[in-house]
RNA sequence: GCGGGAGUAGCUCAGUGGUAGAGCAUCACGUUGCCAACGUGAAGGUCGCGGGUUCGAAUCUCGUCUCCCGCUCCA
């Protein structure tokens, strides 16, 4: 049998819509860029992946506790975290080379040039204008005027074809309170990462949750980034969901814990049902580390768009707790009774994009198979995360078969997400469920209800299309057995 | 953000100035005795949106939005 894997992202985008997994946001109004809605099957799939992660974190570790922090946070949080300063730079593009520059740096470069040419007066004058930029029409407008008036050219291309000056802060800003004037003083941000909610609650959890270092805080929630380039389906979205765990450790043990969590997280992806050869870890070189990290690695999946990050593991050191200590004035330290020692814990962060995980799961499960000269599209999802677990069909529309099928549907509903279907031929119903990733289909046939003894039915398996005949009373057990022994192909 | 390409039914697409189309999917009825059968029928589109040209625009034109590819950026 020839099997084809996913070749391009369009295939998944189409299937995701056709089978009610993922739609573009506000589609009837033309769509909203890089924002997506989850449909009926997508919601189930996403929730199952979320639960799978939550269980792996909190239920399987007695030293990891949950948290659900708000999206709105005190504006100071983002000053302390470095998000306000780090991403407020005025930028300008050279239209000829399409290179982007910091507008203020261009002007400073020009000032340096003037000085080297013994034009100190001009340099001083320009420096003063630069220092007061923002006081006339606004920062962007003033900087643009300086660049235009002084005919500052692009350093590399030498061109003088500039775009407007724009500020790229990736945080969404809104106002707080009914009497807001809209000034920056009232500004609050939609959180650009969930991690800070954990750091600012570190003291609360320490004081009330009876945890000792090392311990972790896990959280799932929405985050928002006003990406300049947001593309490639749900891979890079402006509104997305993160699943994060911050693990607080004693300084000195951080390198070891970092390695441990990197391995643990890779194992989780395998347990989720992702094929091993499609996963790899990718350590960040030291010169590319973020401002807070001592070491960092991505867990990458080979999407149709190439190897891309699904999850990041970072050693954030004591950067965040120290920053919040400094900005809030509240001590964020830990006192170890046994060792009689006080310290600011180091933090190992595991941070996975839930939407990226959904996309990974869909891509990894997708197959096109040749069956008797026909093409079968199938999602070979791990049964544990499949949106629908069991399809239940009467072979044809006859009372005797329909009645038993409905009875089984009713019985299994307590344990599994089930679906009853009697429309179309039996083969068509199987294929429909193949595309939705339903791992098991139960068919009620005449052989099963007309023979002596207990009624039997067939279970048809999605992955290899084989069937077993099973007594009705053993269905639950048979499904659970198969679900637990499932392995990716 | 820049350059290029594209937007017509749920999906894939045809239609280059004159009545809005096909295949698949969906729904109904009949049929169907295990892998996308068949028959009949139905539903679904102010052709992304807004201006303009024209007797007449899906088609020409301008603007705008969205998506794709490349560049750029990326906590």
């Amino acid at each position: 049998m020839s099997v084809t894997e996913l070749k391009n992202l369009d295939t998944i985008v189409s299937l995701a819509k056709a089978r009610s997994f993922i739609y573009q946001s506000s589609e009837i109004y033309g769509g909203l860029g890089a924002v997506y809605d989850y449909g009926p099957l997508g919601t189930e799939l996403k929730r199952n992946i979320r639960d799978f992660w939550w269980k792996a974190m909190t239920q399987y570790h007695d030293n990891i506790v949950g948290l659900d922090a708000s999206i709105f946070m005190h504006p100071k949080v983002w000053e302390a975290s470095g998000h306000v300063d780090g991403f407020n730079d005025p930028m300008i593009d050279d239209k000829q080379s399409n290179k982007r520059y910091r507008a203020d740096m261009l002007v400073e470069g020009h000032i340096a040039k003037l000085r080297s040419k013994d034009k100190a007066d001009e340099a001083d004058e320009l420096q003063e204008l630069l220092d007061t930029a923002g006081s006339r029409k606004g920062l962007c407008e003033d900087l643009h005027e300086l660049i235009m008036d002084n005919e500052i050219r692009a350093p590399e291309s030498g061109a003088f074809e500039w775009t407007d000056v724009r500020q790229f802060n990736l945080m969404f800003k809104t106002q707080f309170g009914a009497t807001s004037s809209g000034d920056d003083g009232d500004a609050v941000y939609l959180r650009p990462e969930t991690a800070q909610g954990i750091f600012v609650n570190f003291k609360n959890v320490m004081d009330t949750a009876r945890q000792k270092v090392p311990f972790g805080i896990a959280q799932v929630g929405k985050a928002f980034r006003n990406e300049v380039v947001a593309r490639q389906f749900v891979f890079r979205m402006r509104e997305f969901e993160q699943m994060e765990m911050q693990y607080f450790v004693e300084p000195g043990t951080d390198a070891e814990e970092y390695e441990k969590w990197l391995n643990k997280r890779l194992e989780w992806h395998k347990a989720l049902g992702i094929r091993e050869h499609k996963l790899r870890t990718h350590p960040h070189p030291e010169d590319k580390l973020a401002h807070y990290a001592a070491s960092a690695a991505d867990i990458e999946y080979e999407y149709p768009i190439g190897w891309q990050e699904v999850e990041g593991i970072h050693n954030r050191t004591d950067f965040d707790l120290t920053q919040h200590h400094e900005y809030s004035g509240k001590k964020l330290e830990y006192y170890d009774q046994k060792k009689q020692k006080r310290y600011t814990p180091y933090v190992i962060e595991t941070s996975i994009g839930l939407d990226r995980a959904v996309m990974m799961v869909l891509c990894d499960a997708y197959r096109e198979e040749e069956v008797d000269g026909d093409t079968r599209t199938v999602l070979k999802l791990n049964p544990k995360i499949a949106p629908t677990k069991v399809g239940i069909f009467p072979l044809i529309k006859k009372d005797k078969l329909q009645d038993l099928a409905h009875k089984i549907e009713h019985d299994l509903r307590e344990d599994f997400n089930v679906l009853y279907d009697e429309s179309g031929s039996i083969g068509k119903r199987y294929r429909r469920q193949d595309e939705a990733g339903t791992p098991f289909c139960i068919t009620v046939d005449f052989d099963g209800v007309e023979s002596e003894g207990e009624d039997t039915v067939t279970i048809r398996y999605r992955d290899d299309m084989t069937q077993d005949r099973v007594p009705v009373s053993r269905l639950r057990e048979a499904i659970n057995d198969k679900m637990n022994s499932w392995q990716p192909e």
Side-chain angles (χ1 to χ4, degrees):
Chain A
M1 182 168 66
S2 89
V3 179
T4 311
E5 292 197 13
L6 188 63
K7 288 202 193 76
N8 63 67
L9 198 54
D10 290 348
T11 310
I12 279 292
V13 177
S14 299
L15 179 78
K17 183 174 182 187
R19 291 285 138 184
S20 85
F21 282 97
I22 300 171
Y23 316 120
Q24 201 192 357
S25 165
S26 314
E27 206 182 87
I28 61 169
Y29 286 101
L32 186 63
V35 185
Y36 290 89
D37 297 343
Y38 285 81
L41 289 189
T43 306
E44 293 293 332
L45 178 62
K46 185 180 176 188
R47 198 169 52 80
N48 289 341
I49 295 171
R50 187 196 290 122
D51 290 348
F52 193 78
W53 181 88
W54 189 256
K55 216 167 165 177
M57 284 298 168
T58 61
Q59 189 170 325
Y60 293 163
H61 295 92
D62 60 10
N63 67 337
I64 298 181
V65 293
L67 182 77
D68 185 8
S70 294
I71 288 169
F72 290 133
M73 301 183 73
H74 195 287
K76 285 263 186 211
V77 167
W78 307 113
E79 289 176 33
S81 70
H83 285 82
V84 173
D85 287 344
F87 297 93
N88 241 338
D89 304 328
M91 306 296 284
I92 190 165
D93 291 355
D94 170 19
K95 287 183 192 168
Q96 190 168 311
S97 65
N98 286 328
K99 293 260 184 228
R100 176 169 295 163
Y101 302 94
R102 285 224 351 223
D104 53 333
M105 298 301 272
L106 284 176
V107 179
E108 276 183 14
H110 188 68
I111 292 170
K113 212 194 230 168
L114 290 173
R115 288 199 198 288
S116 70
K117 288 182 183 170
D118 284 333
K119 296 181 179 171
D121 291 350
E122 280 181 54
D124 288 344
E125 193 183 332
L126 188 54
Q127 183 71 53
E128 182 165 350
L129 285 170
L130 178 62
D131 292 344
T132 56
S135 62
R136 292 176 291 275
K137 294 177 191 162
L139 184 63
C140 290
E141 290 83 351
D142 289 352
L143 284 170
H144 190 252
E145 211 169 271
L146 290 183
I147 289 168
M148 299 314 283
D149 289 353
N150 290 279
E151 276 190 52
I152 299 175
R153 292 176 173 272
E156 283 178 45
S157 68
F160 187 59
E161 295 174 43
W162 295 111
T163 61
D164 288 340
V165 175
R166 289 167 302 245
Q167 274 176 293
F168 290 98
N169 192 306
L170 262 55
M171 286 195 291
F172 285 97
K173 195 190 281 184
T174 186
Q175 294 92 40
F176 218 56
T179 60
S180 170
S181 60
D183 291 347
D184 277 1
D186 303 322
V188 291
Y189 299 97
L190 272 61
R191 64 181 177 196
E193 63 175 29
T194 54
Q196 299 303 324
I198 294 178
F199 299 133
V200 301
N201 277 297
F202 170 76
K203 189 169 157 37
N204 283 336
V205 174
M206 274 307 308
D207 290 349
T208 58
R210 305 187 58 228
Q211 288 293 334
K212 283 183 278 194
V213 170
F215 77 98
I217 301 178
Q219 171 167 239
V220 180
K222 286 283 180 85
F224 304 82
R225 292 182 196 178
N226 199 1
E227 299 281 356
V228 179
V229 177
R231 274 202 284 244
Q232 290 163 328
F233 199 38
V234 296
F235 186 79
R236 179 165 287 125
M237 305 201 297
R238 294 205 165 92
E239 172 179 343
F240 59 103
E241 197 161 340
Q242 291 186 307
M243 305 193 290
E244 289 198 331
M245 194 280 293
Q246 310 289 338
Y247 200 69
F248 299 91
V249 305
E250 183 180 344
T253 65
D254 50 303
E256 188 188 328
E257 292 284 358
Y258 167 80
E259 288 299 328
K260 189 187 89 185
W261 277 105
L262 182 55
N263 290 329
K264 268 197 169 189
R265 292 307 305 152
L266 187 60
E267 289 307 312
W268 180 87
H269 285 263
K270 293 176 193 166
L272 184 64
I274 306 303
R275 292 165 297 173
E276 270 189 68
H277 68 278
K278 289 284 204 176
L279 289 167
R280 72 177 186 195
T281 57
H282 176 252
H284 291 195
E286 253 175 59
D287 57 329
K288 292 224 165 177
L289 292 175
H291 59 276
Y292 53 72
S295 44
D298 293 338
I299 293 174
E300 296 185 331
Y301 175 76
E302 191 179 17
Y303 290 96
I305 53 175
W307 287 96
Q308 300 283 350
E309 174 188 0
V310 186
E311 175 159 8
I313 318 297
H314 296 91
N315 179 349
R316 293 183 77 125
T317 69
D318 58 358
F319 176 84
D320 301 277
L321 291 181
T322 304
Q323 285 290 107
H324 285 302
H325 178 173
E326 192 179 309
Y327 277 72
S328 70
K330 300 287 190 300
K331 267 190 194 165
L332 302 178
E333 293 173 337
Y334 175 74
Y335 183 68
D336 187 325
Q337 287 284 356
K338 223 178 201 170
K339 296 182 182 171
Q340 302 213 334
K341 189 173 151 193
R342 186 182 304 277
Y343 57 83
T344 302
Y346 267 41
V347 175
I348 308 302
E349 169 186 78
T350 75
S351 175
I352 174 170
L354 178 51
D355 310 279
R356 288 180 180 188
V358 171
M359 182 166 146
M360 167 175 73
V361 160
L362 287 175
C363 290
D364 205 58
Y366 186 89
R367 303 282 194 291
E368 286 172 18
E369 295 178 350
E370 286 293 316
V371 181
D372 299 332
D374 196 29
T375 304
R376 174 175 91 122
T377 301
V378 54
L379 289 182
K380 296 192 170 178
L381 297 170
N382 181 347
K384 284 178 183 153
I385 58 170
T388 310
K389 305 292 191 237
V390 189
I392 300 160
F393 316 139
L395 184 59
I396 57 170
K397 292 178 200 167
K398 295 283 187 218
D399 286 348
K400 206 194 292 185
L401 304 183
Q402 288 166 308
D403 290 349
L404 180 57
H406 277 302
K407 185 177 172 297
I408 292 170
E409 176 202 356
H410 185 259
D411 285 352
L412 292 182
R413 195 174 285 284
E414 281 182 31
D415 292 313
F416 307 109
N417 197 350
V418 300
L419 176 134
Y420 175 91
D421 191 3
E422 59 176 29
S423 126
S425 73
I426 190 69
K428 185 165 190 158
R429 281 176 267 163
Y430 288 148
R431 298 299 175 84
R432 253 184 220 141
Q433 293 311 308
D434 286 343
E435 267 192 38
T438 305
F440 311 108
C441 288
I442 293 169
T443 300
V444 180
D445 62 0
F446 291 102
D447 292 348
V449 298
E450 287 176 341
S451 56
E452 294 294 313
E454 191 186 352
D455 290 341
T456 61
V457 294
T458 61
I459 300 186
R460 179 261 195 190
Y461 306 110
R462 174 199 63 199
D463 291 355
D464 58 9
M465 299 190 290
T466 60
Q467 289 179 296
D468 287 334
R469 183 163 290 280
V470 178
V472 172
S473 61
R474 281 203 59 241
L475 274 174
R476 188 175 271 103
E477 190 185 337
I479 292 166
N480 277 322
D481 283 352
K482 281 285 177 181
M483 201 173 318
N484 290 324
S485 62
W486 183 86
Q487 289 292 324
E489 293 175 5

